Amino acid sequence: MATSPENGVKKGAWSKEEDQILIHYMGNHGLETWKTVSEQAGLNRCGKSCRLRWTNYLRPGIKRGEFSADEAATIISLHREHGNKYVSF
């Protein structure tokens, strides 16, 4: 595991132990600020790294895999209606 010389935080892949620490901390304390989560959970990671790991991989209810038939139909319908441009709803 690489450590940044500037601020001493870990960089690179997360270990299973670090994932479990973050899951346990979030389950018990919830979100305050990501910097606080990193410090109080004892993870030697920056707050941004903790936020991205939680949001993209560890958050309960996160869906992985293919779209359902209903989701695909909704995407196609919205694409027909709005086109390819990003639209803020």
Side-chain angles (χ1 to χ4, degrees):
M1 178 76 52
T3 302
S4 170
E6 304 89 47
N7 54 12
V9 297
K10 290 181 185 175
K11 292 187 172 187
W14 280 64
S15 68
K16 291 184 181 198
E17 293 80 17
E18 288 175 308
D19 284 347
Q20 289 305 312
I21 290 169
L22 184 56
I23 291 168
H24 179 75
Y25 183 88
M26 293 300 290
N28 288 335
H29 302 282
L31 176 61
E32 295 152 19
T33 65
W34 286 109
K35 183 178 180 186
T36 303
V37 168
S38 173
E39 291 170 354
Q40 291 185 358
L43 292 166
N44 193 22
R45 300 275 186 170
C46 68
K48 180 179 180 180
S49 180
C50 293
R51 175 180 56 86
L52 292 173
R53 188 69 178 169
W54 178 257
T55 304
N56 295 329
Y57 296 100
L58 302 176
R59 178 174 40 106
I62 193 166
K63 185 178 177 199
R64 298 251 185 252
E66 296 183 14
F67 294 116
S68 69
D70 288 341
E71 290 168 330
T74 300
I75 291 167
I76 291 168
S77 171
L78 289 169
H79 184 267
R80 283 188 185 127
E81 183 179 341
H82 297 285
N84 285 334
K85 285 191 164 189
Y86 172 80
V87 178
S88 179
F89 293 100

